[in-house]
Amino acid sequence: MSCMQLVLNSIAITPDVTQQMNYAFQLGIGIATILAAFGLGLLLRRLLVRRLHKTVLDNWIIQTLGVAVVVIPTLLGVTGAVAIFNASFVLSTLTENFFSRPALAIDTSWNLVETLLILVLGNGVARTLRAMMTRSLGASRVDINMRTLFARVLYIVILSITGFFILTVWNVPIGIPVAVLSAFTVTLTVAFQDILKNLVAGFYILVERPFYIGDQINITSGMITYIGKVEDIQLRATRLRLTSGEEVSVPNLFIFSNAVINNTHFGERRSLLMLTMPQADFDRDETSSKILLLLKNYQEVMPKPDPTVMVNSYEGEKVSLQIRFWVATGQVIDISTVVYELHNLFPNSDISVKEPI
């Protein structure tokens, strides 16, 4: 009797064991399918990214496309795994128990996915078109200020279009954001007048082009003076690298409201030295000849216009001479060598630099 019970018990539990083994086998096959699909996606992404890096596409959109290439095979693998595991009953149970309104949840999730994709693709397209426009205008020899302006305007336009696409995904009427934007604009206009003034001044600088990126400029207002190389012209401020090495962001309204000296606009710049010497050491022809000969021996001194030496004044027992010569813009600092040699030539003289300041 006990043997018969054992046989019946073994027969009774056999279907459960078989069902568990089937579930384990289906689960293993499903996981393997997902991993294989994910590995295929990684391989395709590697090949695609390597190929697209050779094009003009921005890195942002390249990485976005790379992620999409990974996601698509992975989703297919998940779909296949679900089909293998026959999880329709489980999914229906989850839907009935955990989602009281499954249609709304699905629609909202899909809208979020579309919004994320539009944001990523819109930003990538905007950056790519901005880079392409900058490169195209550079090949057409359009100045860098206009290139910067056009590229930024295009970038903002693409992002605005992206925003309208997102509104259509959520079925938001255009009138609502326009009304909100109008009220927000009025509030900003009152609260941020100085910022708006800087934006208008920045737009004027980019259009009028009083200086270019790479120029050295002087900006003076009262006791404040900035002398440096223009690194970037933004809508709110202009970044300068000062001659002392620091970087400063000067508000565009400050530049717009004050005089700006462009030190590198022309290819040459005049230097003016004042040399005061005892009258006993001064000879009208010989002194001038020595000074002119010294200037002609230096490459930084331009032969044209000709250097000149003129008597400026007689005071007591001293005579003051004015020495004028021209140097290339990038070589202004080299006049220190000329001052040193003049001092060696006339050790009893006083020398001062009047230009450049």
Side-chain angles (χ1 to χ4, degrees):
M1 185 68 179
S2 60
C3 294
M4 182 64 66
Q5 290 179 349
L6 290 175
V7 172
L8 293 176
N9 290 336
S10 63
I11 296 174
I13 63 174
T14 300
D16 294 336
V17 174
T18 304
Q19 187 176 10
Q20 292 177 2
M21 293 179 62
N22 289 335
Y23 282 151
F25 179 75
Q26 292 174 358
L27 180 62
I29 295 298
I31 294 175
T33 302
I34 295 174
L35 293 177
F38 182 71
L40 177 62
L42 291 179
L43 178 61
L44 294 176
R45 176 190 176 278
R46 182 178 180 181
L47 296 176
L48 179 65
V49 170
R50 184 183 300 176
R51 173 61 179 164
L52 293 180
H53 271 311
K54 300 178 182 180
T55 65
V56 297
L57 293 179
D58 187 78
N59 185 63
W60 183 276
I61 196 170
I62 292 176
Q63 297 300 328
T64 302
L65 294 175
V67 171
V69 168
V70 176
V71 168
I72 293 174
T74 304
L75 290 177
L76 294 176
V78 171
T79 304
V82 171
I84 293 173
F85 195 66
N86 194 18
S88 59
F89 175 75
V90 177
L91 292 177
S92 62
T93 303
L94 290 175
T95 302
E96 293 174 359
N97 294 334
F98 294 99
F99 299 102
S100 59
R101 301 176 65 184
L104 179 60
I106 294 174
D107 291 341
T108 304
S109 301
W110 180 244
N111 289 342
L112 289 174
V113 172
E114 287 186 338
T115 301
L116 181 61
L117 290 177
I118 292 174
L119 280 175
V120 172
L121 292 177
N123 189 35
V125 170
R127 293 180 58 177
T128 301
L129 293 179
R130 181 178 62 181
M132 292 176 63
M133 173 171 281
T134 302
R135 184 179 304 176
S136 176
L137 294 178
S140 302
R141 298 186 177 181
V142 178
D143 67 88
I144 191 169
N145 288 21
M146 297 304 295
R147 276 183 276 164
T148 303
L149 175 62
F150 290 151
R152 287 176 179 170
V153 169
L154 178 63
Y155 183 76
I156 293 174
V157 169
I158 298 298
L159 290 184
S160 301
I161 296 174
T162 302
F164 282 108
F165 272 113
I166 293 174
L167 293 178
T168 58
V169 169
W170 294 96
N171 296 321
V172 178
I174 302 298
I176 295 178
V178 170
V180 173
L181 182 61
S182 300
F184 186 68
T185 302
V186 173
T187 305
L188 284 181
T189 303
V190 176
F192 302 102
Q193 295 183 21
D194 292 338
I195 295 178
L196 294 177
K197 290 178 181 178
N198 284 318
L199 294 178
V200 174
F203 182 80
Y204 166 80
I205 291 173
L206 289 172
V207 173
E208 189 68 16
R209 296 169 291 171
F211 51 81
Y212 299 88
I213 295 176
D215 286 347
Q216 185 191 74
I217 62 175
N218 293 19
I219 310 170
T220 303
S221 176
M223 301 298 294
I224 302 175
T225 301
Y226 298 106
I227 304 176
K229 178 183 177 182
V230 179
E231 295 290 333
D232 191 16
I233 303 174
Q234 301 173 349
L235 288 179
R236 191 197 66 84
T238 296
R239 291 195 296 110
L240 299 180
R241 179 178 175 84
L242 302 180
T243 53
S244 55
E246 299 93 344
E247 181 180 276
V248 60
S249 294
V250 183
N252 289 327
L253 182 60
F254 182 85
I255 300 175
F256 184 77
S257 305
N258 296 282
V260 178
I261 300 175
N262 192 335
N263 297 329
T264 53
H265 181 73
F266 298 103
E268 62 280 338
R269 190 174 179 187
R270 189 182 71 175
S271 294
L272 176 61
L273 305 179
M274 298 300 297
L275 188 147
T276 303
M277 61 190 307
Q279 291 190 24
D281 297 338
F282 174 70
D283 181 272
R284 179 177 178 180
D285 296 328
E286 183 179 356
T287 302
S288 299
S289 299
K290 288 182 178 180
I291 294 174
L292 294 176
L293 181 62
L294 183 146
L295 295 176
K296 291 180 180 179
N297 288 331
Y298 288 92
Q299 295 181 353
E300 59 266 21
V301 178
M302 301 181 65
K304 296 292 180 179
D306 296 325
T308 58
V309 179
M310 297 182 296
V311 177
N312 189 56
S313 64
Y314 287 94
E315 295 182 3
E317 298 297 326
K318 293 186 176 182
V319 58
S320 179
L321 302 179
Q322 190 179 85
I323 305 172
R324 296 182 180 181
F325 57 93
W326 292 78
V327 296
T329 301
Q331 298 174 336
V332 174
I333 196 173
D334 290 340
I335 64 171
S336 58
T337 305
V338 176
V339 174
Y340 177 77
E341 293 297 334
L342 284 174
H343 176 70
N344 290 337
L345 187 62
F346 304 104
N348 298 325
S349 303
D350 297 327
I351 304 173
S352 61
V353 180
K354 300 298 181 181
E355 293 179 4
I357 298 176

